[in-house]
Amino acid sequence: MNQTTTREAVRGSGVASRNITKAAVIGSGVMGSGIAAHLANAGIPCLLLDIVPKDLTPEEEKAGLTLDHPKVRNRLAAKAVAALPKSSTAPLYRADFVSRITPGNMEDHLSQLKEADWIIEVVTERLEIKKSILKTIEGVRKEGAIVSTNTSGISVNAMAEECGEEFRRHFLGTHFFNPPRHMKLLEIIPGFDTDPDITQFMVDFCTKRLGKGVVLAKDTPNFISNRIGTYGLLVTLQEMVRNSYSVEEVDAATGPVLGRPKSATFRTLDLVGIDTFVHVAKNVYDNVQDGHEKDVFTVPDVLNELVSRGWIGEKGGLGFYKKIKGDQGSTILSLNLSTMEYNPSAKISSASIEAAKAVKGAKRKIKAFLGTKDRYSELAWNVLKQVLVYSAEKLGEIADSIQEIDNAMKWGFNWELGPFETWDLIGLPESVQRMEAEGLTVPAWVKDWIAAGNKSFYQEKDGQVFHYLKGEYKAVDAEPERISLSALKAQNRVIRSNTGANLLDIGDDVALLEFTSPNNAIGADILVMIQQSVEEVRANYRGLVLANEGRNFCVGANLMLMLMEAQSGDWDEVDDIIRLFQGSMMKLKRLEKPVVAAPHRMTLGGGVEACLPADRIVFSAETYFGLVETGVGLIPAGGGCKELALMASSRYPDPGSDPQPEINRMFEMVAMAKTSTSGHEAVQMYGRGADTVVMNQDYRIYEAKQAVLELDRAGYVPPQPGKARVVGRDGRAVLQMGAIDMRRGGYISDHDLLIAKKLAHILTGGDVPAGTIVSEEHLLDLEREAFLSLLGEVKTQQRMQHMLAKGKPLRN
């Protein structure tokens, strides 16, 4: 039976009233508990069930419990839930979200499944066990409830073949990638009988509510991402053996220089687990008929040998790499596949690798790397050409759209470019000619496409992207919630621009300020653009959004510039820069139009200070937000300390109340350079009542724009000049005594203590009596004085140099 998985085919009309208010997960292992945690992240109460244990643990026996005791019967799920807040992978956005998960067991709590709108089966990857669980679920679920299986490659149709028609209409595959919170990809696999309306509902729900990048896959072995990814890893191994490359050489040629993660090939295998990879590869081998494809998916002897030895990667302590800890730190060893012995890892360099390192951006790196002929670019080409041809061969079998395949590889394997995007980059007609000259058979549809005069699989016209679909260019589906700044720039929607920032018109008379400097670090060019943007918006727009499409929102101020000015002794210039920074933030805050910031991922130091003046912050769920200046021996001086003092005062407006506890909390937060682990935690840490979190990072600009329009329609009134009732010198003494105790205990250095004292001086309002009302300008003056003083310290300059050179703080 032909299975169509284009988005047009699954789009129905009857899903508007459906919702998921409660979910259940069957299986509390790593994946099951991780999926339950992410449902909790999305605010969905979740029942987590597992089997009833057959034996008591020694601890249970000691406590006098029996097999009938609820603690014993619920042990597996309860233990998994208890472990979630402590997990190193941080499956929860906030630790207290764990309260949204209720543990239970498959005997005592099975009837509670009838309360769930979505039931997810996440048991062991064995077909007969999954079939049995699905029959059990069918017997208790309410009519209309959606049921899905989390599987990395078992047939969805085979699982449900013994279930009734109504069940099969509401059943599909939902392949989450591990860890569910952090991996963007979710493959949705409809069965032959799945109602298209249900498929479309799940695509929309998982995209918007769970924040996932959803691709539609067909019910084929390993679906999309694991099918192509596993193929790529196996042909890489074959090429390695054929031409005697080392583990380090392969990783050097298949990592960032090829638009792939730093983990490249063998570090990826170690992270995934070599035993897991063998299982995934064997699943394809067992379920495909083509002889050549079976040959590729035959597990190499070396992998079977590693599994037999227990050398299965990171979870086993060693794999292709092994870390040895010594007195001088850790040493990384790599495996010699010829001798099966570990040797110190060698640093790999070559003309092609250096050419790639010399340029910025994945596209330029790939072109520079492949365009510089040597042993390593040859390795990459020999692997890449096979992956591209295989991806083209599988179009129509694993998915109907090249966009689904490209997105699956970008979101599931963290490739910068998908296979077909990469093919366009290296030149479609030219590369096909070379592939055929080297003996590869390129699928007929690709050659027909080129023969028809097409030179790429994608093309862009007037900011609209088109992609190949069944012999013609088809416009990529536009989502109103996804605002693309690159598309807006292609449509000439730039209002103003300089070397560090752009001001864009994003429609509906709303402007957007985009940082474009390296790492989006704030320098004079961005500050000038902020001031110009304020004037432009004041005159011509309803409001302003602060956002960008960089890897991170902003890593702080330009540290190198500050260090250079300090070392040259140009203190007037430093003072001018700080005043410009503070003045720019104040202009944002006093703008008569609403300002909404939409940070994502790393938002540190000056990036936080650029957000705090906004009327509202729309955080991406994955936002790591913190004032971290103490890590380089400084304090926040762009208004960050000032804003915290104002917040503390506003929460204790009654003259008889005491803001000291809140000041203590904020002091600790800044002194310890605490950074949120999520947008939800940032809201909790900073406690600004109007701030929100958006699950799907791709929608943050849209949501920020809607917030601007909402504030404007409500009759926006800018905030009045701020006043803070401070705790003064008495409160400062409290903070400083705490820091002195930390120094006496050996927890901080003398320089840390100096920084802490200056931070305490600002947050408490300076040398004034408790209860004094101070202005924003007074607090900014204190910030600037402290910053200049610390910048002149040798130990601060050492910390700055170390951060610039090593990318991590120095404790001195």
Side-chain angles (χ1 to χ4, degrees):
M1 183 182 294
N2 183 45
Q3 183 188 18
T4 301
T5 56
T6 58
R7 295 185 180 239
E8 291 79 4
V10 302
R11 193 164 285 135
S13 59
V15 298
S17 61
R18 180 179 286 275
N19 194 16
I20 292 172
T21 59
K22 188 171 183 179
V25 174
I26 311 299
S28 65
V30 172
M31 278 304 298
S33 61
I35 291 169
H38 198 60
L39 293 169
N41 287 335
I44 302 167
C46 183
L47 179 67
L48 180 63
L49 302 183
D50 212 315
I51 60 173
V52 176
K54 296 181 180 179
D55 301 296
L56 293 172
T57 66
E59 292 79 12
E60 289 167 343
E61 288 182 345
K62 187 176 180 180
L65 302 180
T66 68
L67 288 173
D68 294 328
H69 195 284
K71 284 187 177 181
V72 176
R73 295 177 69 80
N74 296 340
R75 182 214 305 153
L76 295 178
K79 186 176 180 181
V81 171
L84 288 172
K86 307 167 190 173
S87 171
S88 60
T89 60
L92 295 162
Y93 288 146
R94 272 178 31 190
D96 59 326
F97 285 179
V98 75
S99 63
R100 297 169 178 170
I101 307 172
T102 303
N105 68 73
M106 283 290 287
E107 294 179 14
D108 302 329
H109 307 104
L110 190 63
S111 63
Q112 293 183 26
L113 293 181
K114 66 181 61 165
E115 301 171 14
D117 304 302
W118 180 16
I119 303 168
I120 311 171
E121 169 273 304
V122 198
V123 301
T124 188
E125 286 282 83
R126 290 173 58 185
L127 177 60
E128 292 307 315
I129 293 177
K130 287 182 177 287
K131 290 174 72 172
S132 173
I133 290 292
L134 293 180
K135 286 296 293 181
T136 300
I137 293 171
E138 183 180 25
V140 294
R141 66 180 270 276
K142 65 184 177 184
E143 185 175 348
I146 295 170
V147 180
S148 70
T149 175
N150 183 78
T151 174
S152 59
I154 297 177
S155 170
V156 170
N157 288 295
M159 281 186 221
E161 62 186 3
E162 296 174 8
C163 296
E165 180 186 355
E166 196 274 340
F167 181 95
R168 296 197 308 274
R169 283 195 291 110
H170 294 84
F171 177 70
L172 70 171
T174 49
H175 179 206
F176 288 83
F177 276 58
N178 191 35
R181 167 188 166 178
H182 297 284
M183 291 300 292
K184 183 172 182 176
L185 179 62
L186 172 62
E187 293 177 321
I188 286 184
I189 310 100
F192 293 139
D193 300 318
T194 307
D195 185 333
D197 282 352
I198 296 299
T199 303
Q200 184 59 44
F201 168 78
M202 290 299 289
V203 169
D204 293 341
F205 181 86
C206 294
T207 300
K208 296 174 183 177
R209 189 72 182 274
L210 301 187
K212 291 297 169 190
V214 176
V215 300
L216 284 172
K218 294 192 176 186
D219 189 17
T220 55
N222 289 15
F223 313 127
I224 303 174
S225 187
N226 278 343
R227 182 76 169 268
I228 293 175
T230 303
Y231 178 91
L233 287 166
L234 288 169
V235 296
T236 301
L237 270 167
Q238 293 174 359
E239 186 66 22
M240 173 189 186
V241 172
R242 187 180 299 119
N243 290 294
S244 302
Y245 289 96
S246 70
V247 165
E248 303 100 304
E249 287 179 315
V250 171
D251 275 357
T254 57
V257 295
L258 202 57
R260 309 286 169 79
K262 290 181 180 178
S263 57
T265 298
F266 293 111
R267 283 188 175 85
T268 296
L269 283 170
D270 278 355
L271 288 168
V272 169
I274 297 167
D275 55 337
T276 301
F277 177 79
V278 167
H279 171 78
V280 171
K282 190 175 184 301
N283 186 58
V284 180
Y285 178 88
D286 291 341
N287 289 283
V288 296
Q289 306 304 317
D290 179 77
H292 173 70
E293 193 169 8
K294 270 189 175 296
D295 288 343
V296 173
F297 282 93
T298 300
V299 177
D301 291 340
V302 66
L303 296 186
N304 288 322
E305 174 66 17
L306 289 173
V307 172
S308 71
R309 294 186 181 205
W311 298 1
I312 56 175
E314 198 169 86
K315 62 187 177 183
L318 71 170
F320 287 102
Y321 290 95
K322 178 181 180 181
K323 182 185 287 188
I324 302 294
K325 293 183 178 179
D327 295 338
Q328 304 301 316
S330 297
T331 301
I332 303 297
L333 307 180
S334 63
L335 183 65
N336 183 319
L337 298 188
S338 299
T339 65
M340 297 301 285
E341 295 178 349
Y342 288 95
N343 303 306
S345 293
K347 184 174 176 60
I348 307 300
S349 182
S350 76
S352 62
I353 291 171
E354 294 307 313
K357 288 180 178 179
V359 295
K360 300 289 186 182
K363 291 183 178 180
R364 295 177 67 196
K365 283 183 181 296
I366 295 169
K367 294 194 78 169
F369 178 54
L370 295 177
T372 307
K373 305 302 180 185
D374 64 15
R375 172 176 167 80
Y376 300 108
S377 61
E378 180 183 5
L379 164 64
W381 166 252
N382 287 338
V383 170
L384 179 63
K385 67 183 180 183
Q386 295 181 75
V387 172
L388 299 184
V389 168
Y390 185 72
S391 300
E393 289 174 348
K394 296 299 119 183
L395 182 66
E397 178 183 335
I398 62 176
D400 285 327
S401 159
I402 65 168
Q403 186 186 15
E404 306 290 343
I405 293 175
D406 278 347
N407 285 340
M409 299 316 299
K410 289 189 291 184
W411 297 338
F413 274 71
N414 293 318
W415 292 7
E416 294 278 355
L417 301 174
F420 296 97
E421 292 171 326
T422 303
W423 215 334
D424 281 355
L425 176 69
I426 64 176
L428 177 59
E430 301 88 345
S431 62
V432 166
Q433 187 176 18
R434 180 180 174 185
M435 290 171 185
E436 292 194 307
E438 294 174 357
L440 265 68
T441 301
V442 177
W445 73 264
V446 175
K447 294 192 286 186
D448 290 344
W449 182 245
I450 295 171
N454 300 297
K455 295 183 177 180
S456 63
F457 294 113
Y458 292 88
Q459 67 174 7
E460 188 172 336
K461 291 182 179 178
D462 301 323
Q464 173 68 59
V465 178
F466 297 80
H467 67 99
Y468 170 91
L469 184 65
K470 298 182 178 179
E472 61 182 6
Y473 277 120
K474 171 74 175 178
V476 171
D477 287 343
E479 296 177 79
E481 299 93 347
R482 192 186 301 264
I483 296 177
S484 167
L485 302 187
S486 57
L488 291 173
K489 284 181 274 192
Q491 297 166 18
N492 298 315
R493 301 280 284 276
V494 178
I495 305 164
R496 290 175 177 267
S497 181
N498 68 17
T499 56
N502 297 315
L503 184 66
L504 306 174
D505 182 342
I506 60 172
D508 296 314
D509 296 324
V510 177
L512 179 143
L513 178 61
E514 172 196 29
F515 299 167
T516 60
S517 62
N519 295 317
N520 290 336
I522 298 175
D525 45 7
I526 288 179
L527 297 174
V528 168
M529 182 56 69
I530 288 174
Q531 301 216 13
Q532 292 177 350
S533 298
V534 166
E535 298 305 318
E536 184 72 39
V537 170
R538 177 179 288 124
N540 300 309
Y541 290 86
R542 297 168 68 180
L544 178 66
V545 169
L546 304 178
N548 61 67
E549 292 177 328
R551 190 177 193 85
N552 299 298
F553 176 76
C554 176
V555 298
N558 188 328
L559 202 60
M560 177 64 79
L561 174 64
M562 288 291 184
L563 180 60
M564 289 172 60
E565 297 289 1
Q567 291 179 333
S568 65
D570 198 344
W571 298 108
D572 288 341
E573 181 67 23
V574 175
D575 186 68
D576 287 344
I577 293 172
I578 302 170
R579 288 179 185 274
L580 178 61
F581 200 134
Q582 292 180 339
S584 300
M585 299 306 110
M586 289 297 288
K587 282 182 178 292
L588 277 177
K589 186 170 184 177
R590 301 278 172 81
L591 178 60
E592 297 87 352
K593 306 292 180 68
V595 176
V596 177
H600 65 286
R601 297 190 64 81
M602 287 175 61
T603 304
L604 306 175
V608 172
E609 291 178 305
C611 293
L612 293 180
D615 300 287
R616 189 174 298 175
I617 303 175
V618 177
F619 290 98
S620 164
E622 297 295 344
T623 305
Y624 320 124
F625 196 81
L627 292 164
V628 297
E629 286 85 350
T630 58
V632 289
L634 297 167
I635 52 91
C641 295
K642 177 259 296 182
E643 288 295 322
L644 294 183
L646 290 173
M647 286 181 206
S649 176
S650 68
R651 289 166 195 164
Y652 294 87
D654 185 349
S657 61
D658 183 12
Q660 185 74 49
E662 184 68 358
I663 287 292
N664 294 350
R665 185 185 73 83
M666 290 176 168
F667 172 76
E668 180 183 357
M669 191 167 70
V670 179
M672 303 301 290
K674 287 187 177 179
T675 301
S676 74
T677 60
S678 69
H680 286 281
E681 193 172 69
V683 170
Q684 185 181 47
M685 285 169 62
Y686 286 82
R688 294 161 39 109
D691 295 343
T692 57
V693 180
V694 60
M695 288 289 285
N696 192 318
Q697 180 172 299
D698 296 335
Y699 294 172
R700 70 188 186 283
I701 296 175
Y702 170 85
E703 295 296 344
K705 176 183 172 182
Q706 297 309 305
V708 166
L709 295 173
E710 175 192 330
L711 290 166
D712 177 66
R713 285 192 294 267
Y716 177 75
V717 177
Q720 296 299 306
K723 299 286 185 180
R725 184 170 61 85
V726 297
V727 295
R729 60 178 73 96
D730 293 342
R732 180 181 65 195
V734 172
L735 298 181
Q736 291 184 349
M737 280 305 300
I740 290 169
D741 286 343
M742 292 280 285
R743 178 67 192 101
R744 287 172 178 162
Y747 297 106
I748 62 175
S749 68
D750 286 337
H751 195 55
D752 292 326
L753 179 59
L754 174 66
I755 298 164
K757 286 181 176 180
K758 291 186 179 294
L759 176 62
H761 185 69
I762 303 164
L763 291 176
T764 59
D767 193 17
V768 297
T772 300
I773 305 297
V774 301
S775 67
E776 291 186 76
E777 287 73 20
H778 172 80
L779 294 167
L780 289 174
D781 288 343
L782 295 179
E783 282 188 357
R784 193 169 60 255
E785 291 166 7
F787 188 94
L788 286 165
S789 172
L790 288 169
L791 188 58
E793 294 282 339
V794 172
K795 288 189 175 181
T796 286
Q797 294 181 21
Q798 290 172 345
R799 289 189 179 192
M800 295 170 75
Q801 288 174 322
H802 191 270
M803 178 62 74
L804 289 166
K806 305 291 186 180
K808 54 186 179 182
L810 170 69
R811 295 299 304 275
N812 61 350

